[in-house]
Amino acid sequence: MPELPEVETVCRALRPHLLGARIRDVAVHAPKLRRRLDPEALRRACAGRTVRDLRRRAKYLVLELDDRHALILHLGMTGEFRVVPEETPLEKHARVVWTLDGGRSWRFLDPRMFGEVTVCRLPAAGADPAELGRLGVEPLSPAFSGDILWTLTRGRQTPVKTLLMQQQHLAGVGNIYASEACFRAGIRPQRPAGRLTRAGCARLAAEVRTVLSEAIRAGGTTISDFRSVDGSEGRFNANLQAYGRDGEPCRRCGAAHRIRRLVLAGRSTFYCPHCQT
DNA sequence: ATATTCCCCTGGAAGC
DNA sequence: TGCTTCCAGGGGAATA
C-alpha cells in the first residue's frame, strides 16, 4: 500500500524518534518477511550502534548506523512502524522489535509479511546501498522531467500507467498515484507508453510531481491499512479523483461521465473515458 | 528483451 | 450467524 508519499510520511515521523538513538538489542518475531531474516546478522548490525541517518529512496527507507552499517526497510503492503514504551505489550503482528536506550521500543508490524528488513553495508556514508542500485529516477528530484519520460517511453508497448509503476524506470510511484497522475494529465492509463507525445510526457511528468507533493503534504493516503508512526491516517483520500471511484461521477466533467475500472498488469486502474484520451 | 501471470501472506468486506 | 469468495497500496520469479 505505501507508495512514495506514505513512505516519506513515515520517514519524517520516524526521524525525531530514531536519529541519535542507540540500539541496545533487536528481536525477530517472524521467521520470514518478503525475504528470510537472519536474526544473528541483524543483531550484529544493530546492537550497540547509533542511528546516524534515516532517509527514503523510492519506497524504501535506509537506516544508517555507525561505520557504514545500515538497514534497508520496506513497508510492503501492510507494514507499520511504531515507537512505544518498552513495556507496551507486543502487538499481534509485531515482526521485528528494536530496543532503544531510554526504555523505548521501535517496532515493525506487518500482518501480510510482504515487508522487508535487510542488513547491508554502504559504499560510503550517506550513499545508497548496492542493493538499491536498480531503482530508477526519483520522481521528485530535478533529474525527473518530461524529457526523461520521453526517453523512457520510446519503443515501449506497455500501458503508460504500468510503466509509471516500474521501479527500474521511475522509483516510488505505485498503483494509486499512477492512476491519479494519468487522470490529472488527461491521458488514458492504457495508452501504449511509446505513443505519448512530447507534450504528453511533459504534462504527465509535471502531474506525477504535483500529485506526489500534494500527497506528502497531506500525510499520504489511507485506503485501509496505512498508518503513520503515531497511528494517524493519511488525509489525501478526499483528494483522489480516480482511484477507487469506479461508477462514480467524474469530478472534472461532471455526472455525464463516470469513472471506469479496468485491470492493467493485474492491478486495478481507474480513469474517466471522457477526460482522458 | 519485453510484457503478462502468478505467487508470497493475512484480514476485511461482500455475497450467499 | 457462518461459510466462501474476492480483493488489497508491493515486488520478484516464472512464463509466454
Side-chain angles (χ1 to χ4, degrees), chain A residues 3-19:
Chain A
E3 307 181 26
L4 187 154
E6 290 74 34
V7 180
E8 180 66 28
T9 297
V10 168
C11 185
R12 292 179 184 184
L14 269 180
R15 285 171 62 89
H17 291 290
L18 297 185
L19 293 191

Side-chain angles (χ1 to χ4, degrees), chain A residues 75-200:
Chain A
L75 297 170
M77 294 275 268
T78 53
E80 289 179 48
F81 284 108
R82 294 290 166 81
V83 178
V84 295
E86 206 174 338
E87 59 272 18
T88 306
L90 202 62
E91 297 83 354
K92 181 180 178 188
H93 299 300
R95 307 306 190 189
V96 182
V97 173
W98 291 264
T99 307
L100 308 175
D101 271 357
R104 291 172 305 142
S105 174
W106 171 39
R107 300 178 178 178
F108 179 58
L109 321 179
D110 187 9
R112 286 177 76 178
M113 300 194 285
F114 285 173
E116 180 178 340
V117 175
T118 304
V119 173
C120 70
R121 297 302 302 273
L122 302 179
D128 279 348
E131 288 84 345
L132 300 185
R134 305 180 70 166
L135 292 170
V137 61
E138 279 287 325
L140 294 180
S141 77
F144 180 58
S145 64
D147 285 347
I148 292 293
L149 193 54
W150 170 263
T151 305
L152 289 175
T153 52
R154 289 314 88 189
R156 298 191 183 277
Q157 283 295 117
T158 304
V160 59
K161 180 251 185 181
T162 302
L163 183 132
L164 291 181
M165 296 173 61
Q166 292 176 339
Q167 302 298 297
Q168 74 271 26
H169 294 132
L170 190 56
V173 176
N175 201 38
I176 294 177
Y177 299 109
S179 275
E180 291 299 305
C182 289
F183 178 90
R184 288 165 175 243
I187 294 165
R188 286 210 185 191
Q190 62 269 48
R191 192 195 301 181
R195 303 239 310 274
L196 283 176
T197 62
R198 274 213 181 259

Side-chain angles (χ1 to χ4, degrees), chain A residues 55 62-65 68-70 120-130:
Chain A
R55 52 186 179 267
V62 177
L63 183 91
E64 181 166 343
L65 302 163
R68 294 184 291 110
H69 289 273
C120 70
R121 297 302 302 273
L122 302 179
D128 279 348

